Amino acid sequence: MEKITLPKASVLTSPNPVTLVCTKKPDGTTNLATVSWWTYLSFNPGMIAYAMAKTSYSGEMVRQNKKVILTIPGEAIAKEVIGCGTSTGRTTDKIAKLGIAMQDLPDADIRVPLHSRVAIQCTLKEYHEAGDHYLYICNVDQVFGNENETAVFAWNGYGEIRPAK
Ligand SMILES: Cc1cc2nc3c(=O)[nH]c(=O)nc-3n(C[C@H](O)[C@H](O)[C@H](O)COP(=O)(O)O)c2cc1C
């Protein structure tokens, strides 16, 4: 084997998972941010975790509201997933700008994209500093799925969004 960097390793592990992290903004609307660094942590009780840059607006919102929904986007919004990962909700209404169709979930005041294969509704349990990111550890409240949507993944590291096959 040859010695490589961690970013290069993330290219070699592609396709990598991809989620849209959905949080509530102060005006009640939803912000969407693309996040590859997420994982299941525990099935019983249900727990997940994800890492976001300290500067992210989504991080600020989840630390404030303690509520977040992680969705696995469907193929129909592959292009929009890049858009949600290259602009910030601090200055942009991404849903309006990118024209993303949304839906409500029962008992949630955060909306999620209509084209979602999975939605994991969570409450923030704790967060920890991890280099230039915070690691958010969440309890899972409810989970929703739609087998008719095809999940997308991040290819070439994080440069391209498309299904696994
Ligand atoms: C494919 C892809 C994957 C990404 N994965 C992450 C990630 O795991 N963690 C992270 O902090 N940012 C990640 N980003 C970058 C964020 O989505 C980006 O910083 C975004 O502007 C944050 O939005 P916000 O400020 O509205 O929260 C990713 C971007 C793309 C395109």
Side-chain angles (χ1 to χ4, degrees):
M1 297 184 89
E2 60 173 311
K3 195 169 171 186
I4 59 170
T5 62
L6 198 52
K8 172 71 176 171
S10 75
V11 174
L12 298 189
T13 58
S14 300
N16 293 313
V18 71
T19 72
L20 283 177
V21 166
C22 312
T23 51
K24 193 168 105 170
K25 296 198 277 190
D27 66 0
T29 62
T30 296
N31 185 49
L32 302 176
T34 308
V35 166
S36 272
W37 295 356
W38 86 276
T39 182
Y40 297 101
L41 282 184
S42 164
F43 279 164
N44 188 20
M47 294 178 72
I48 58 104
Y50 65 96
M52 282 201 87
K54 286 178 176 170
T55 51
S56 76
Y57 186 61
S58 303
E60 202 178 311
M61 294 301 102
V62 75
R63 293 194 302 276
Q64 233 170 67
N65 302 325
K66 315 285 181 221
K67 295 288 180 187
V68 60
I69 303 178
L70 266 64
T71 63
I72 305 303
E75 191 175 7
I77 56 168
K79 210 175 80 200
E80 290 78 1
V81 170
I82 294 285
C84 290
T86 49
S87 57
T88 175
R90 197 169 273 118
T91 51
T92 308
D93 179 347
K94 299 186 204 182
I95 294 167
K97 187 180 167 206
L98 301 168
I100 301 173
M102 302 292 285
Q103 63 180 323
D104 288 315
L105 292 179
D107 307 321
D109 58 359
I110 301 171
R111 307 188 82 207
V112 300
L114 182 62
H115 294 290
S116 299
R117 183 168 169 89
V118 169
I120 306 174
Q121 188 185 337
C122 302
T123 302
L124 179 65
K125 181 173 183 282
E126 59 201 76
Y127 68 97
H128 301 275
E129 194 171 353
D132 52 5
H133 282 53
Y134 287 125
L135 176 68
Y136 297 95
I137 297 178
C138 302
N139 290 317
V140 173
D141 300 324
Q142 299 193 87
V143 189
F144 302 87
N146 180 355
E147 285 184 28
N148 296 322
E149 295 284 346
T150 301
V152 291
F153 293 81
W155 290 79
N156 295 325
Y158 307 104
E160 198 188 330
I161 302 292
R162 60 182 164 88
K165 53 185 177 187

